[in-house]
Amino acid sequence: MYSSAPLEMGEKGMVPEQLSPSLQLWSIYLAENVIPDESDFAPLLVSAYIAGGKRREALFKMDDAPEGSFVPGGIVFLLPHILAGIFAAVPYILKLLDSTASINNTLTTVCNILSLHDRAKESFVGPELQQGGDRVQEPVYSIRQVVSILDEQLKNVPLPDEERDCIAYRIIRALLERPDGTIEVIGHLQRSV
Protein backbone atom coordinates (compact mmCIF):
# COMPACT_ATOMS: atom_id res chain seq x y z
CA MET A 1 0.00 0.00 0.00
CA TYR A 2 1.46 3.36 -1.03
CA SER A 3 -0.70 5.34 1.24
CA SER A 4 -1.14 8.20 3.91
CA ALA A 5 -1.25 10.85 6.28
CA PRO A 6 -3.09 11.05 9.55
CA LEU A 7 -6.85 11.03 9.35
CA GLU A 8 -8.61 12.09 12.47
CA MET A 9 -11.84 10.39 13.41
CA GLY A 10 -14.83 12.65 13.57
CA GLU A 11 -17.07 12.83 16.58
CA LYS A 12 -19.48 10.41 14.96
CA GLY A 13 -16.91 7.86 13.79
CA MET A 14 -15.38 7.42 10.37
CA VAL A 15 -18.49 7.77 8.20
CA PRO A 16 -17.95 10.67 5.80
CA GLU A 17 -21.26 12.44 6.37
CA GLN A 18 -20.93 15.15 3.73
CA LEU A 19 -20.54 12.67 0.88
CA SER A 20 -23.70 11.64 -0.92
CA PRO A 21 -24.20 7.90 -1.32
CA SER A 22 -23.42 8.24 -5.03
CA LEU A 23 -20.15 10.04 -4.27
CA GLN A 24 -19.20 7.41 -1.71
CA LEU A 25 -19.76 4.71 -4.35
CA TRP A 26 -17.81 6.75 -6.91
CA SER A 27 -14.86 7.13 -4.54
CA ILE A 28 -14.79 3.38 -3.86
CA TYR A 29 -15.08 2.65 -7.60
CA LEU A 30 -12.18 4.98 -8.39
CA ALA A 31 -9.98 3.43 -5.72
CA GLU A 32 -10.88 -0.16 -6.68
CA ASN A 33 -9.92 0.53 -10.29
CA VAL A 34 -6.77 2.55 -9.64
CA ILE A 35 -5.43 1.74 -6.15
CA PRO A 36 -7.40 -1.18 -4.67
CA ASP A 37 -5.46 -1.09 -1.39
CA GLU A 38 -7.09 2.24 -0.61
CA SER A 39 -10.69 1.36 -1.48
CA ASP A 40 -11.70 0.83 2.17
CA PHE A 41 -10.52 4.36 2.98
CA ALA A 42 -11.73 6.05 -0.22
CA PRO A 43 -14.91 7.73 1.11
CA LEU A 44 -13.04 9.00 4.14
CA LEU A 45 -10.15 10.30 2.05
CA VAL A 46 -12.44 11.99 -0.48
CA SER A 47 -14.48 13.52 2.35
CA ALA A 48 -11.35 14.91 4.00
CA TYR A 49 -10.05 16.25 0.69
CA ILE A 50 -13.35 17.96 -0.12
CA ALA A 51 -13.54 19.43 3.41
CA GLY A 52 -10.36 21.34 2.61
CA GLY A 53 -8.33 23.25 5.16
CA LYS A 54 -6.45 21.28 7.79
CA ARG A 55 -8.24 18.04 6.92
CA ARG A 56 -6.93 18.26 3.35
CA GLU A 57 -3.46 19.33 4.48
CA ALA A 58 -3.28 16.33 6.82
CA LEU A 59 -3.75 13.99 3.86
CA PHE A 60 -0.44 15.11 2.39
CA LYS A 61 1.68 15.03 5.54
CA MET A 62 4.23 12.27 5.55
CA ASP A 63 5.47 12.64 9.10
CA ASP A 64 4.33 10.67 12.14
CA ALA A 65 0.63 10.80 12.86
CA PRO A 66 -0.53 12.66 15.95
CA GLU A 67 -1.90 10.68 18.86
CA GLY A 68 -5.50 9.64 18.32
CA SER A 69 -5.36 9.80 14.53
CA PHE A 70 -7.20 7.25 12.44
CA VAL A 71 -4.22 5.98 10.45
CA PRO A 72 -0.74 5.48 11.91
CA GLY A 73 2.06 7.67 10.59
CA GLY A 74 4.42 6.58 7.88
CA ILE A 75 1.68 5.58 5.44
CA VAL A 76 1.21 7.69 2.30
CA PHE A 77 -2.16 7.50 0.56
CA LEU A 78 -2.13 7.94 -3.19
CA LEU A 79 -5.80 8.97 -3.47
CA PRO A 80 -5.32 12.56 -2.18
CA HIS A 81 -2.64 13.08 -4.85
CA ILE A 82 -5.02 11.67 -7.45
CA LEU A 83 -7.75 14.07 -6.29
CA ALA A 84 -5.32 16.98 -6.51
CA GLY A 85 -4.46 15.88 -10.05
CA ILE A 86 -8.14 15.56 -10.97
CA PHE A 87 -8.76 19.05 -9.65
CA ALA A 88 -5.84 20.47 -11.63
CA ALA A 89 -7.05 18.73 -14.80
CA VAL A 90 -10.72 19.73 -14.49
CA PRO A 91 -10.93 21.69 -17.79
CA TYR A 92 -9.59 18.73 -19.78
CA ILE A 93 -11.68 16.17 -17.92
CA LEU A 94 -14.80 18.23 -18.60
CA LYS A 95 -13.88 18.36 -22.31
CA LEU A 96 -13.67 14.57 -22.30
CA LEU A 97 -17.04 14.31 -20.57
CA ASP A 98 -18.65 17.06 -22.63
CA SER A 99 -19.52 14.97 -25.64
CA THR A 100 -21.39 11.76 -24.89
CA ALA A 101 -20.71 10.65 -28.46
CA SER A 102 -16.98 10.76 -27.87
CA ILE A 103 -17.05 9.01 -24.47
CA ASN A 104 -17.19 5.55 -26.06
CA ASN A 105 -14.35 6.48 -28.42
CA THR A 106 -12.37 7.93 -25.52
CA LEU A 107 -12.94 4.85 -23.37
CA THR A 108 -11.88 2.63 -26.26
CA THR A 109 -8.73 4.71 -26.73
CA VAL A 110 -7.88 4.57 -23.02
CA CYS A 111 -8.59 0.82 -22.82
CA ASN A 112 -6.41 0.18 -25.88
CA ILE A 113 -3.59 2.24 -24.40
CA LEU A 114 -3.87 0.34 -21.10
CA SER A 115 -3.91 -2.98 -22.89
CA LEU A 116 -0.80 -2.13 -24.90
CA HIS A 117 0.89 -0.71 -21.82
CA ASP A 118 0.16 -3.80 -19.75
CA ARG A 119 1.45 -6.08 -22.53
CA ALA A 120 4.60 -4.11 -23.19
CA LYS A 121 5.60 -3.60 -19.53
CA GLU A 122 8.00 -0.94 -20.73
CA SER A 123 7.91 2.77 -21.21
CA PHE A 124 4.85 3.50 -23.30
CA VAL A 125 4.90 6.06 -26.04
CA GLY A 126 1.12 6.39 -26.73
CA PRO A 127 -0.69 6.28 -30.05
CA GLU A 128 0.26 8.38 -33.04
CA LEU A 129 -1.21 11.83 -32.77
CA GLN A 130 -3.64 12.88 -35.45
CA GLN A 131 -2.82 16.42 -36.42
CA GLY A 132 -5.72 18.73 -37.14
CA GLY A 133 -4.20 22.09 -37.96
CA ASP A 134 -2.06 23.28 -35.07
CA ARG A 135 -3.77 21.21 -32.36
CA VAL A 136 -4.05 17.52 -31.73
CA GLN A 137 -7.62 16.31 -32.24
CA GLU A 138 -9.90 15.54 -29.32
CA PRO A 139 -10.08 13.34 -27.30
CA VAL A 140 -6.37 12.47 -27.60
CA TYR A 141 -5.33 16.04 -26.77
CA SER A 142 -7.37 16.12 -23.56
CA ILE A 143 -6.23 12.62 -22.58
CA ARG A 144 -2.60 13.65 -22.98
CA GLN A 145 -3.17 16.83 -20.95
CA VAL A 146 -4.89 14.91 -18.13
CA VAL A 147 -2.12 12.28 -18.12
CA SER A 148 0.53 15.01 -18.00
CA ILE A 149 -1.18 16.81 -15.09
CA LEU A 150 -1.79 13.59 -13.15
CA ASP A 151 1.77 12.45 -13.77
CA GLU A 152 3.11 15.74 -12.42
CA GLN A 153 0.96 15.42 -9.28
CA LEU A 154 1.93 11.78 -8.76
CA LYS A 155 5.62 12.73 -8.79
CA ASN A 156 5.01 13.77 -5.17
CA VAL A 157 4.66 10.08 -4.31
CA PRO A 158 7.52 7.60 -4.71
CA LEU A 159 6.32 5.64 -7.74
CA PRO A 160 8.22 4.33 -10.76
CA ASP A 161 7.62 6.39 -13.94
CA GLU A 162 5.95 3.48 -15.72
CA GLU A 163 3.54 2.94 -12.84
CA ARG A 164 2.60 6.64 -12.76
CA ASP A 165 1.69 6.50 -16.46
CA CYS A 166 -0.42 3.39 -16.03
CA ILE A 167 -2.19 4.87 -12.98
CA ALA A 168 -2.95 8.05 -14.93
CA TYR A 169 -4.67 6.11 -17.72
CA ARG A 170 -6.60 4.01 -15.21
CA ILE A 171 -7.80 7.20 -13.52
CA ILE A 172 -9.07 8.54 -16.85
CA ARG A 173 -10.86 5.28 -17.58
CA ALA A 174 -12.54 5.28 -14.15
CA LEU A 175 -13.54 8.95 -14.50
CA LEU A 176 -15.13 8.31 -17.89
CA GLU A 177 -16.87 5.11 -16.84
CA ARG A 178 -18.66 6.96 -14.01
CA PRO A 179 -19.32 10.40 -15.53
CA ASP A 180 -22.12 11.38 -13.11
CA GLY A 181 -19.91 10.78 -10.08
CA THR A 182 -17.00 12.50 -11.79
CA ILE A 183 -19.07 15.61 -12.44
CA GLU A 184 -20.38 15.54 -8.85
CA VAL A 185 -16.88 15.30 -7.36
CA ILE A 186 -15.60 18.04 -9.67
CA GLY A 187 -18.40 20.30 -8.39
CA HIS A 188 -17.43 19.56 -4.79
CA LEU A 189 -13.74 20.12 -5.53
CA GLN A 190 -14.43 23.45 -7.19
CA ARG A 191 -16.56 24.63 -4.26
CA SER A 192 -13.94 23.50 -1.71
CA VAL A 193 -11.19 25.84 -2.92
Side-chain angles (χ1 to χ4, degrees):
M1 178 147 118
Y2 297 112
S3 281
S4 181
L7 297 177
E8 297 176 14
M9 283 187 69
E11 293 174 10
K12 298 181 181 181
M14 56 184 248
V15 178
E17 292 184 46
Q18 70 248 39
L19 292 185
S20 67
S22 64
L23 197 50
Q24 288 183 36
L25 291 173
W26 177 89
S27 66
I28 292 168
Y29 179 81
L30 176 66
E32 285 175 345
N33 285 278
V34 179
I35 38 167
D37 290 345
E38 296 183 21
S39 60
D40 290 342
F41 299 106
L44 185 60
L45 294 168
V46 171
S47 176
Y49 191 91
I50 288 172
K54 291 184 185 225
R55 287 187 70 199
R56 182 182 294 173
E57 287 175 23
L59 295 172
F60 295 95
K61 290 185 180 175
M62 295 187 181
D63 55 349
D64 289 335
E67 192 171 317
S69 62
F70 179 69
V71 177
I75 300 175
V76 177
F77 282 108
L78 193 55
L79 190 55
H81 296 276
I82 289 170
L83 293 170
I86 289 170
F87 182 66
V90 162
Y92 302 106
I93 293 169
L94 291 176
K95 280 184 183 179
L96 289 173
L97 294 172
D98 192 34
S99 170
T100 56
S102 71
I103 287 180
N104 286 337
N105 292 338
T106 304
L107 274 173
T108 300
T109 301
V110 172
C111 289
N112 288 339
I113 290 169
L114 276 173
S115 176
L116 291 171
H117 185 277
D118 289 343
R119 273 191 248 142
K121 295 288 182 199
E122 59 190 38
S123 188
F124 181 69
V125 179
E128 288 293 318
L129 297 178
Q130 298 174 341
Q131 297 295 331
D134 293 326
R135 287 183 45 121
V136 177
Q137 293 181 351
E138 292 293 340
V140 175
Y141 177 76
S142 289
I143 290 172
R144 287 188 174 266
Q145 294 303 332
V146 173
V147 169
S148 175
I149 291 167
L150 289 168
D151 182 66
E152 192 61 35
Q153 183 62 42
L154 293 173
K155 285 180 180 175
N156 296 322
V157 181
L159 290 170
D161 290 346
E162 179 183 318
E163 194 167 346
R164 279 196 325 265
D165 290 346
C166 191
I167 286 171
Y169 284 108
R170 287 191 174 141
I171 292 167
I172 294 170
R173 182 178 65 190
L175 295 176
L176 294 175
E177 287 177 344
R178 296 284 175 106
D180 292 341
T182 300
I183 290 170
E184 184 180 354
V185 81
I186 285 172
H188 283 287
L189 291 173
Q190 289 175 326
R191 287 189 295 274
S192 72
V193 175

